[in-house]
Amino acid sequence: MFRKLGIVKEFLSVKDFTNKEVLEAYQKEKLAERLASHGSFFYPNSEKLEDFPIINKKIFMENFETINTVKITKEEAFKVALASEESRNFSNKIGDISVGLSSGTSGNRGIFLVSEKESIRWAGYILKRMLPKPLLQRHKIAFFLRANSNLYESVNSLTITFTFYDLLRPLEEHIERLNATQPTILIAPAQLLRLLALSDRLTINPKKIISVAEVLEEEDEALIVQRFSQKVHQVYQCTEGFLAHTCEEGNLHLNEDRVYIEKAWIDKKSGRFSPIITDFFRSSQPVIRYKLDDILVLEKEPCLCGSVFERIKKIEGRCDDILKVKDKKREPYLLFPDFIRRAIIRASDKIEEYSVEHKEDVLHIYLQPISVKDEVEKSLQKLYGEQGLEVIKHLYHPYKIGKLTDKRRRVKQL
Ligand SMILES: [Zn+2]
């Protein structure tokens, strides 16, 4: 009961911000509170954000024990998290702290701690931001994840039934269960939404579809929109925090009432940056000036929904996947993965699947069907011409299907 009341309280306290000055004043206050009370040995004692070091996942994990404020060792945390993954039972806790592993795309797994209070807050917030209006209808939510955690189960309350689908289970089983439960809200990684959209056995008719956990690519979005005759909403959520959501207009906004975001510019002209995040509320494992390895593209146009939260045109993937190539003068040149992606999908409408790996100056291109390779070749040569690049050596291969649990990266720099 305490938990439900907590979620309702949080739900009711989440406000919409339609005035930039009001938002800035709010952020200033929350930031000051955060810095004054982080309670962590790792971070400095200062009221100025610029006195705090900019950290990344590696530094965050290396200093796990001095950053967390609940005296949990890395060894202890890993033990609980791995045991949960193994048994698929995610109710294990250390005290009132849930432990989760972040899937991560680069192999270095992160570990995150969430207290009961933080989990309640998270649940109230995500419900307020993502539930279709009017807010107090009954909802059956189907949530697909690589691993469950107490964090997600906490939404099982009020008028909401929340069913967790384990991505490790076979697709056919998911389709059967979805058909039987008829969820009103479907939340899943983009590649799973894509597979569901392609299934002719699926009979569900959700009111809202939300893509999570990986980049939603335009061609997948188009397919899902067509199949379910509605917008695809997005949640930009990582273990470091719930960073952005789509509004009723379908546009992505940063959750600037949860996190303070500084921009590490990658290319100011095109609006590309990596976010450096400071979470106002995480206290068992404070997140301060944490730089994410994602490329976000800023949208400067205000949104019709009236929110003054900054808009994101899209989330493009990881900085690590920017291809390091050369221009015609043999000078180093950074080619954004999105350019390669577009060149490939515009080559032919027969392309069903593709992936690209750039390794030791060779671009390995995996295609299904492989018969489209001449068209893809032509389109890539055009791209190199447009960008003034030195021609890259290509090798073509048939596409290999990966596991559902693998986070998909269409374009990889190895
Ligand atoms: Zn909006």
Side-chain angles (χ1 to χ4, degrees), residues 110-210:
I111 197 149
F112 64 102
L113 305 174
V114 182
S115 71
E116 177 75 8
K117 204 171 139 197
E118 288 166 314
S119 137
I120 287 171
R121 200 184 264 281
W122 176 87
Y125 188 75
I126 205 165
L127 287 177
K128 180 68 169 260
R129 290 281 176 241
M130 296 315 296
L131 283 190
K133 315 263 180 326
L135 289 166
L136 286 170
Q137 312 166 68
R138 284 196 165 272
H139 284 293
K140 282 190 276 182
I141 303 179
F143 202 154
F144 285 81
L145 274 178
R146 194 189 61 83
N148 193 9
S149 79
N150 295 304
L151 188 66
Y152 299 107
E153 294 243 307
S154 65
V155 192
N156 219 341
S157 55
L158 307 167
T159 53
I160 292 158
T161 328
F162 188 85
T163 316
F164 160 66
Y165 291 73
D166 187 339
L167 281 176
L168 283 173
R169 310 293 309 161
L171 181 68
E172 283 308 306
E173 186 184 310
H174 292 322
I175 292 174
E176 242 164 66
R177 201 161 153 217
L178 286 168
N179 288 345
T181 48
Q182 293 290 322
T184 56
I185 303 179
L186 176 61
I187 308 176
Q191 62 165 329
L192 191 95
L193 290 176
R194 177 191 158 84
L195 291 175
L196 292 177
L198 289 169
S199 161
D200 42 21
R201 297 215 308 108
L202 190 75
T203 60
I204 61 169
N205 197 6
K207 290 199 181 85
K208 186 161 185 172
I209 297 177
I210 303 168

Side-chain angles (χ1 to χ4, degrees), residues 247-249 251 253 303-307 311:
C247 64
E248 64 262 39
E249 297 288 327
N251 295 322
H253 290 270
C303 186
L304 287 175
C305 76
S307 168
R311 275 181 66 187

Side-chain angles (χ1 to χ4, degrees), residues 312-337:
I312 296 298
K313 212 178 281 172
K314 58 180 162 178
I315 301 152
E316 257 186 18
R318 304 168 54 239
C319 298
D320 281 358
D321 288 331
I322 298 176
L323 305 191
K324 294 168 188 78
V325 296
K326 297 212 167 63
D327 68 10
K328 286 220 168 81
K329 291 177 221 139
R330 301 212 47 112
E331 294 294 327
Y333 186 94
L334 298 177
L335 183 61
F336 295 115

Side-chain angles (χ1 to χ4, degrees), residues 389-413:
L389 301 180
E390 190 186 60
V391 168
I392 306 168
K393 189 177 173 203
H394 294 162
L395 284 175
Y396 288 90
H397 315 273
Y399 182 80
K400 299 176 284 193
I401 294 170
K403 288 199 295 265
L404 265 184
T405 46
D406 292 342
K407 236 183 191 184
R408 185 170 61 183
R409 288 154 71 202
R410 290 272 200 199
V411 179
K412 282 187 227 178
Q413 167 73 49

Side-chain angles (χ1 to χ4, degrees), residues 46-69:
S46 169
E47 289 166 13
K48 289 195 207 124
L49 189 61
E50 55 271 31
D51 290 343
F52 287 70
I54 294 174
I55 59 169
N56 56 21
K57 189 177 194 175
K58 188 164 173 279
I59 299 171
F60 196 69
M61 285 311 295
E62 278 167 6
N63 296 281
F64 181 86
E65 274 143 49
T66 49
I67 288 177
N68 89 66
T69 59

